């Protein structure tokens, strides 16, 4: 199985962690959209999504790809790095899971 830069297998981030992060990214995007006073339908139209597709992204029910994240962030006027950093803090208040698992990873 392929390993990442820390020598851990690519499946180290379990489904619950991936889901928590997807939800946090979506919630961050939703919070920004709502703070701008934008309706779901208006934001969806700006980025070429249906309102239901954007809703699923905001709920974390559908993972968001990097291209779509960049597009949404551009429309909302925020850097993707800010969305990711906020989502990371919200989803993993004790730190990114890889930091917590590094001490348990096999020697490289």
């Amino acid at each position: 199985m392929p390993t990442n830069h820390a020598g851990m297998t690519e499946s180290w981030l379990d489904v619950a962690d991936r889901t928590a992060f997807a939800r946090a990214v979506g919630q961050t995007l939703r919070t920004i959209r709502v703070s701008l006073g934008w309706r779901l339908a208006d934001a969806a139209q700006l980025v070429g999504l249906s309102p239901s597709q954007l809703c699923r992204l905001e709920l974390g029910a559908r993972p968001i790809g990097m291209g779509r994240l960049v597009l949404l962030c551009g429309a909302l006027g925020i850097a993707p790095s800010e969305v990711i950093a906020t989502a990371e803090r919200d989803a993993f208040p004790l730190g990114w899971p890889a930091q917590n698992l590094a001490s348990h990873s096999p020697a490289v």
Side-chain angles (χ1 to χ4, degrees), residues 17-94:
D17 288 336
R18 289 191 304 261
T19 300
F21 189 65
R23 285 185 183 141
V25 168
Q27 181 60 44
T28 301
L29 291 168
R30 181 184 186 284
T31 299
I32 295 163
R33 176 183 59 76
V34 169
S35 74
L36 293 171
W38 291 9
R39 295 180 317 137
L40 183 69
D42 297 331
Q45 184 177 13
L46 275 174
V47 296
L49 295 172
S50 71
S52 65
Q53 288 174 313
L54 182 55
C55 181
R56 286 194 303 271
L57 290 175
E58 289 183 348
L59 292 174
R62 178 178 173 178
I64 186 167
M66 186 58 70
R68 178 93 1 106
L69 177 64
V70 169
L71 186 63
L72 280 165
C73 288
L76 295 170
I78 187 164
S81 60
E82 290 182 52
V83 171
I84 291 169
T86 299
E88 181 181 343
R89 283 190 304 273
D90 292 348
F92 308 114
L94 299 178

Side-chain angles (χ1 to χ4, degrees), residues 6-8 101-108:
M8 300 166 68
L101 293 175
S103 63
H104 297 69
S105 66
V108 179

Side-chain angles (χ1 to χ4, degrees), residues 3-9 105-106 108:
T3 59
N4 65 15
H5 71 279
M8 300 166 68
T9 61
S105 66
V108 179

